[in-house]
C-alpha cells in the first residue's frame, strides 16, 4: 500500500511538472510576432504583405531599366537589336538583299537566286535543306541566314520579301 502511494505521488509530480513547463512555453510563445525568427509560422496576410513589397521592388527595377537609369546617374544606351516583326521589302530586278545572322526571309513574289558564302548556303527551314549559290529561292519558304557573311538573295525579277531581322539592299 505504501508503494502505491509513493508511485502515485511520483506520477502526479511528473504530470504537474510537465503541465507547468508546457504552460510556460505556451505563454512565452504567444508573445512572439508572427513570421519572426522565434515564430516562423506565418499567416496569409503576412505572405501577401511580403509579395506586395517584392512586387514594388521589381516594378522599381523595371522602371529604372525602361528609363535607362541605373541609379548611379549614368544612362544606359539601348543596343541595336534586330526587329522582331516582319517587314515587307520590295526590290528591283538585279538588286540583292543581304541579311545578317539570324535573319529570316520569305519570298512572296518574283524570282530570285541564292547568294551563299564559302561557309555554306541559306537554311530552308520549310524543306529542311541548305540552299547554295545558283539555286532559285523557293517562294513562300521560311529561309534563315546562319551567319553575317554576305548571304542573301539576288532578284532575277522584281521581288517582294517578308523579312525579320537586319538586312541591306544592294
Amino acid at each position: 500500500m505504501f508503494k502505491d502511494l509513493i508511485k502515485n505521488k511520483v506520477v502526479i509530480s511528473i504530470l504537474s511538472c510537465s503541465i507547468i513547463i508546457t504552460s510556460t512555453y505556451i505563454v512565452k510563445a504567444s508573445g512572439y510576432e508572427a513570421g519572426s525568427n522565434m515564430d516562423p509560422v506565418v499567416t496569409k496576410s503576412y505572405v501577401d504583405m511580403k509579395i506586395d513589397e517584392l512586387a514594388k521592388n521589381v516594378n522599381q527595377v523595371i522602371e529604372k531599366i525602361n528609363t535607362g537609369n541605373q541609379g548611379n546617374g549614368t544612362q544606359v544606351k539601348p543596343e541595336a537589336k534586330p526587329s522582331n516583326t516582319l517587314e515587307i521589302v520590295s526590290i528591283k530586278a538585279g538588286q540583292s538583299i543581304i541579311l545578317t545572322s539570324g535573319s529570316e526571309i520569305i519570298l512572296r513574289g518574283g524570282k530570285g537566286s541564292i547568294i551563299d558564302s564559302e561557309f555554306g548556303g541559306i537554311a530552308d527551314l520549310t524543306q529542311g535543306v541548305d540552299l547554295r549559290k545558283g539555286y532559285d529561292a523557293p517562294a513562300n519558304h521560311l529561309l534563315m541566314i546562319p551567319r553575317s557573311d554576305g548571304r542573301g538573295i539576288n532578284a532575277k525579277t522584281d521581288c517582294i520579301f517578308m523579312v525579320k531581322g537586319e538586312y541591306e539592299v544592294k
Side-chain angles (χ1 to χ4, degrees):
M1 180 156 200
F2 185 68
K3 282 185 170 183
D4 289 337
L5 184 60
I6 292 175
K7 198 185 231 184
N8 286 342
K9 283 184 180 181
V10 170
V11 170
I12 290 173
S13 60
I14 290 174
L15 285 175
S16 298
C17 287
S18 297
I19 291 172
I20 291 171
I21 291 171
T22 304
S23 299
T24 303
Y25 280 111
I26 290 172
V27 168
K28 188 176 178 183
S30 66
Y32 295 142
E33 183 180 340
S36 68
N37 288 341
M38 301 305 288
D39 184 16
V41 178
V42 295
T43 61
K44 181 184 179 308
S45 61
Y46 177 80
V47 172
D48 291 341
M49 178 184 69
K50 291 298 182 182
I51 289 173
D52 289 341
E53 287 176 15
L54 181 63
K56 286 178 187 175
N57 290 340
V58 168
N59 288 336
Q60 289 174 351
V61 170
I62 290 172
E63 186 176 321
K64 284 181 181 179
I65 290 171
N66 287 341
T67 60
N69 186 358
Q70 293 298 313
N72 57 5
T74 61
Q75 294 291 322
V76 175
K77 295 179 183 173
E79 296 178 16
K81 293 187 178 176
S83 172
N84 212 13
T85 59
L86 286 171
E87 184 177 340
I88 305 301
V89 179
S90 298
I91 65 173
K92 302 285 183 193
Q95 289 183 313
S96 298
I97 183 165
I98 308 299
L99 298 110
T100 60
S101 173
S103 296
E104 300 173 354
I105 187 166
I106 300 171
L107 175 62
R108 292 292 293 155
K111 292 193 183 285
S113 63
I114 300 296
I115 302 170
D116 67 356
S117 76
E118 61 185 51
F119 298 109
I122 296 176
D124 182 346
L125 302 179
T126 304
Q127 198 172 7
V129 296
D130 188 44
L131 302 176
R132 300 297 304 232
K133 182 178 181 177
Y135 281 94
D136 285 338
N140 300 312
H141 280 221
L142 178 60
L143 309 177
M144 180 177 254
I145 310 305
R147 288 186 177 183
S148 298
D149 57 0
R151 300 179 206 207
I153 298 176
N154 184 30
K156 293 180 177 177
T157 64
D158 291 352
C159 293
I160 299 172
F161 297 100
M162 293 171 54
V163 180
K164 184 190 292 186
E166 296 180 20
Y167 65 91
E168 179 182 354
V169 176
K170 292 185 175 183

